[in-house]
Amino acid sequence: MKKTISLIGATLMLSSCGIYTNYHKAESVSDNLYGEEVAVDTSTASLGDLAWRNLFTDPQLQALIEKGLQNNTDLQSARLRVEQAEA
């Protein structure tokens, strides 16, 4: 019984060596492999250029954002450090 199991195990181990195929290098590489160059239009505005009040037009949301900015201690301490550095 043990010989049969070990024989089956050895057969499976030896037969598993041939499951991979050999690597073949591609014959040619396309000239347009990485796509075409894209023209960038610098005249467009990004979201970073917009004021948050223009982006979020809901009055309730604007009130909540304003309240969050007023209660933000990190922002307040940064403003104080800027004022201190300017003085």
Side-chain angles (χ1 to χ4, degrees), residues 3-43:
K3 289 182 181 181
T4 309
I5 293 175
S6 63
L7 183 62
I8 292 173
T11 305
L12 288 175
M13 290 177 78
L14 289 175
S15 66
S16 67
C17 293
I19 61 172
Y20 299 107
T21 58
N22 292 336
Y23 173 75
H24 297 287
K25 185 177 178 181
E27 295 175 5
S28 65
V29 178
S30 173
D31 292 335
N32 198 12
L33 181 64
Y34 297 109
E36 307 218 356
E37 290 187 25
V38 178
V40 178
D41 186 13
T42 57
S43 65

Side-chain angles (χ1 to χ4, degrees), residues 52-72:
W52 66 266
R53 286 189 174 102
N54 296 338
L55 187 62
F56 303 112
T57 57
D58 182 35
Q60 266 188 327
L61 181 59
Q62 285 182 350
L64 289 172
I65 292 173
E66 191 66 40
K67 185 177 178 181
L69 289 174
Q70 289 173 358
N71 295 329
N72 188 342

